Amino acid sequence: MSFLERLRSLPILDLVFFVGASILVWNLHRYVEPVPQVLFYPSFFFQFSFGFFPQLYQRKWGRVLTSLSAITLVRLPFLSGIPMVGSYQLVGLLLGSILGIWVRETLLVLLGRNETALPKQSEQIISDWMIRNPTGKSNLPIWYSTYFGFLFFIFCLTILCFLEYQGMGIFTGLGIQEYLYYPKLSSREAMGLSCKILIPLTLVILYFFSEERSMPTPSKDSLSEQIRFGLFLGFGINLLVMCIQSIWSLEFFSQGTHLSVSAGRTTGLFQDSGSASWLVPVIGFLWMTKLTHIWRKSKERFSLLLLILSFFLLTWLGLKQGKAFWVIWSLFVSVGFIQLTTDLWIVSSKTKIFTRIGLYFVLPVLGCLALYGISLVPKQWDLVILAKRFMLFLKSFPNSPTLAFQQLDLVRYELIKVANLGIQENLWMGNGIGSFPLYLLSPEQNGSNANIPFVDFPPTFYHWMLYELGILGSIVFLFYIGIFLWERGLWKQGILLLIPFLFGVQIQNSDGAFLCFYLILLGEKGTGFSPSFDKFRKTIWFSPLLLILSIGLPLNYSLFHSQKFLTYGIGSEFRKNEIKDYQIAYTIPPVSPNYEYEFHGKIWEWKLVDVNVSRSGRIFLETNSKSSLVGINFLNLERNQIKQELFTEAKSGYVWSGDAPKGATYIQIHTRSKLEFRLPKSQFDGLGRFQF
C-alpha cells in the first residue's frame, strides 16, 4: 500500500475531534489557571510523560500507567514545592495519554500496520511494536457514541459558564475581558470555580473515549481489567505512604492537603483526606472483591491470607480517616460479610434470600449497638467522635430533629441549609455550574445564611446537581449516566456510585472523577454492550434517536438557562444591576505604592462619565509593550462608532489628547497585538466610569 493510500485510511474525523477538544480544554485551563510558565511546565511535562510515552509504547502499559498516575500524581506540584493551583486536574497526564493514543494510532497506520505483508528482519523493532498494538478502530460514527452526547452537554455547560462570568462581550467584538466579579474576586477566578468540575470531567471522559475508540474490536485485552490493575498498583503506593504517615509523621508527603494534617488525618497521595475517605474504602472493596473471587475459584490459601491482611490493614488505616470512611467501610464490610457467608454456608437459594433479608433488617440494630460501644472508647479518633455524635443524634431527634442533625455534623448541616435555599430559588434551571462555592465567597453570604469557615461544594452530589443544574439539568446528567449503564449492562456495578455520589462532589478532583467514571463506563465487564442495548442499536432508528436526544436535551436546557443572561449588560455594564457600579475590565487591581490598574489584552471598553462633567483631556497608557496600532473609539448609547483616533507613541507608552465628542457614551481602546498597560486609579470615578 502506498503512503498516500495509508494517509487516506487515517481516522481523520477522530483525529480532528480529539485533538480539537484537547486544545479547547488546554486553552480553557490556561485561562482560568494562568500559572506562570516557569512554575507550570515542569510539573506539566512530568505528568505528560507518564501519559504520553507509555501510551506510545504499548496500549496495555499506557492504560496501566495512566490509571496508576491518576491516583498518585494529583499533588505533584505541591510535593515538588511548587505552589501551583489547579494541579489536581491532572491536565498534563490526561492530555499526554490522549495525545499518546492518537500519535500511536496515526504512526501505526502510516507504517502499514493493517497490511498483511511479513515485516523485514531489519524492521524488527517496528514489527514488535505493531504486534504489541493490534489494529483498533470503531466502525460506529463518532457522533453516535454515547460519549459524544455527554461531551456535548459539558460543552454547553462551559458556554453557559462563560456567559455567566464573562458576559457577552466576545459577541460584540470586545473579546474575553476580565472583570471584578466580586470584591477581591475576578471573573476569571469565578469561572475557575466552575472549571474545577468542567475540566476534570471533560478530560477523564475524553481519555476513556479515546481508549475505547482506538481499541481493537473484538479485543483480547480487557480495558477494564488493565485500568483496574493500574488502580490497584496506585492504591498500593497510596497505602504505603499512608502507613508511613500513620507510623512516622503526618507531614510525610502531605503538602497541599489543606486542613487534613491539622485534623490529624492521613491522605496518602490523594488530593486530601476528603478524597481518601471515600477512595480508600471503594478501591479497597474492589481489591477485596477480586481476592475473594480468586480464592473461591482457586482455593489458594495465599489469596485468603492476603484478603484477611487487607481487611485489617484498611481498618487500621481508617483510624486516621474522616467519618465518611467509617460509614462507607462499615457498609461495605457488613454487606460483603453477609453475602459471602450466606453464599458459602447456605445451599438453598430460597433460604439464602430470606436469611439475607433478615440479616439486613438486623444490621441497623447491630450497627447502633456497635456505635454505642465505640462511643465509650476514651480516644479522639474520628470513629469515636462519629459514634458519640450519633448517640447524641438518637437522643435529640425525637424532640428536635433540627438540633439532632446539627449535632451529627454541623458543617454538612450548614451546607445542606444553604443548598436547599438555592434549590428553592431556582428549582428548574439551577443557579449555574460552580455557583455554590461562588455564593460562599459573595459579600451577601457573610453572616446571612450560614457560618461556614471555608469554601466548599454542596454536601452530596445530588444537592450539587439540583443547586447548580436544577431539575432539568439533573435529568440531562442522569440521562447520560443511565445510557452508559444500560449500554454496558452495569446496573449492579452502578450501585457503587451511590457511595461517592452521597459524599460530596467527588468529580471535582481528577482522582475522584477518574474512579467515578471508571465505575460508570467500565466497571467489571469492559466495554461490551448489554444484550438489550445491542438489540436496539442494530435497528435503523435507535442511534439517530439517541443522537437527537443527546443534542436536543442539552440545547433545550441551554436555551432556557441562558435567558437570564439577556438581562446582563455588555462591556462595562456587565452585572451593573448586581454590583451597583460599572465594571472596569482590568487584570490586576491597583496596589500600593502607585495605585494603578493593569490591563492585559487587545480591546477594552468603559462607560464615560456624565455629559455635565469635563470630558476632554489626556490619556497616557504606561507600558513597555509594543503594538503597531493603538486606537481609541467613541461610541454612542447604541454602541455605534461616532469618532475614531490613534494614540501616538511616547517614551514609556502611548498618549492621546483631545475631546470626547457630543453623544459619546462609551470609550474603547483597541490594539493590533496584545498589550499590557497601566492606568492610574484617578482615571475612573467612584462608579467605575472613565474620566479625563
Side-chain angles (χ1 to χ4, degrees), residues 123-170:
E123 300 173 349
Q124 190 61 40
I125 295 178
I126 296 178
S127 302
D128 292 341
W129 181 49
M130 292 182 181
I131 293 172
R132 289 193 301 267
N133 297 283
T135 302
K137 176 69 169 65
S138 174
N139 294 322
L140 191 69
I142 200 167
W143 49 83
Y144 281 164
S145 171
T146 49
Y147 285 97
F148 178 79
F150 213 147
L151 289 170
F152 183 76
F153 180 49
I154 297 175
F155 174 75
C156 291
L157 290 178
T158 305
I159 297 298
L160 292 174
C161 173
F162 176 81
L163 295 176
E164 175 82 23
Y165 303 121
Q166 304 292 344
M168 303 183 71
I170 192 172

Side-chain angles (χ1 to χ4, degrees), residues 343-363:
D343 204 27
L344 288 175
W345 296 338
I346 300 176
V347 178
S348 172
S349 58
K350 184 179 294 185
T351 305
K352 188 185 301 183
I353 292 174
F354 284 112
T355 303
R356 286 175 176 174
I357 293 174
L359 290 173
Y360 286 138
F361 275 108
V362 175
L363 190 60

Side-chain angles (χ1 to χ4, degrees), residues 655-672:
V655 64
W656 172 88
S657 299
D659 300 324
K662 184 178 180 180
T665 306
Y666 303 98
I667 183 176
Q668 283 186 357
I669 293 178
H670 59 92
T671 64
R672 181 163 294 169

Side-chain angles (χ1 to χ4, degrees), residues 81-100:
I82 300 175
M84 172 184 159
V85 179
S87 61
Y88 47 78
Q89 294 174 341
L90 289 178
V91 175
L93 174 70
L94 295 174
L95 283 180
S97 294
I98 295 168
L99 181 61

Side-chain angles (χ1 to χ4, degrees), residues 314-364:
L314 292 171
T315 305
W316 173 68
L317 290 174
L319 295 176
K320 290 191 176 181
Q321 290 299 312
K323 294 180 289 295
F325 172 89
W326 291 106
V327 176
I328 300 171
W329 188 238
S330 301
L331 180 63
F332 275 160
V333 169
S334 302
V335 173
F337 181 77
I338 291 173
Q339 293 290 120
L340 179 61
T341 53
T342 54
D343 204 27
L344 288 175
W345 296 338
I346 300 176
V347 178
S348 172
S349 58
K350 184 179 294 185
T351 305
K352 188 185 301 183
I353 292 174
F354 284 112
T355 303
R356 286 175 176 174
I357 293 174
L359 290 173
Y360 286 138
F361 275 108
V362 175
L363 190 60

Side-chain angles (χ1 to χ4, degrees), residues 450-638:
N451 292 314
I452 302 170
F454 51 85
V455 177
D456 202 352
F457 282 88
T460 70
F461 179 83
Y462 301 102
H463 276 94
W464 168 75
M465 281 198 304
L466 289 174
Y467 184 95
E468 300 194 352
L469 302 180
I471 291 178
L472 295 182
S474 300
I475 290 174
V476 178
F477 199 97
L478 294 176
F479 165 76
Y480 291 117
I481 292 179
I483 290 295
F484 278 121
L485 294 176
W486 178 24
E487 180 183 31
R488 290 156 174 80
L490 295 174
W491 296 111
K492 293 182 179 179
Q493 186 76 14
I495 296 174
L496 285 173
L497 289 171
L498 294 177
I499 301 300
F501 282 2
L502 286 175
F503 289 89
V505 189
Q506 302 302 343
I507 56 176
Q508 64 181 293
N509 299 328
S510 283
D511 52 5
F514 194 92
L515 182 59
C516 283
F517 279 90
Y518 165 77
L519 297 176
I520 294 175
L521 306 177
L522 302 179
E524 299 293 319
K525 296 184 180 180
T527 57
F529 293 140
S530 66
S532 60
F533 192 91
D534 197 25
K535 175 184 177 182
F536 283 111
R537 185 182 285 281
K538 292 178 179 177
T539 60
I540 194 173
W541 55 269
F542 182 76
S543 291
L545 176 62
L546 193 60
L547 177 63
I548 291 171
L549 290 174
S550 297
I551 295 179
L553 289 175
L555 283 180
N556 277 278
Y557 173 76
S558 303
L559 177 65
F560 287 110
H561 191 275
S562 61
Q563 296 302 308
K564 67 177 183 178
F565 303 138
L566 299 178
T567 61
Y568 283 13
I570 298 174
S572 58
E573 293 181 337
F574 178 57
R575 294 186 70 242
K576 178 181 178 296
N577 293 332
E578 297 180 32
I579 62 176
K580 309 305 180 185
D581 59 11
Y582 295 93
Q583 294 188 284
I584 304 173
Y586 62 84
T587 304
I588 300 177
V591 293
S592 177
N594 298 321
Y595 294 100
E596 292 179 324
Y597 292 98
E598 185 169 316
F599 301 85
H600 296 183
K602 296 177 67 174
I603 186 169
W604 303 267
E605 178 190 286
W606 304 297
K607 179 77 163 59
L608 281 169
V609 294
D610 296 333
V611 294
N612 56 350
V613 180
S614 174
R615 306 210 302 175
S616 64
R618 176 175 177 269
I619 302 175
F620 178 66
L621 310 180
E622 181 185 349
T623 178
N624 296 322
S625 304
K626 296 295 181 181
S627 177
S628 58
L629 182 145
V630 181
I632 181 171
N633 296 336
F634 292 93
L635 313 177
N636 60 16
L637 186 62
E638 290 77 27

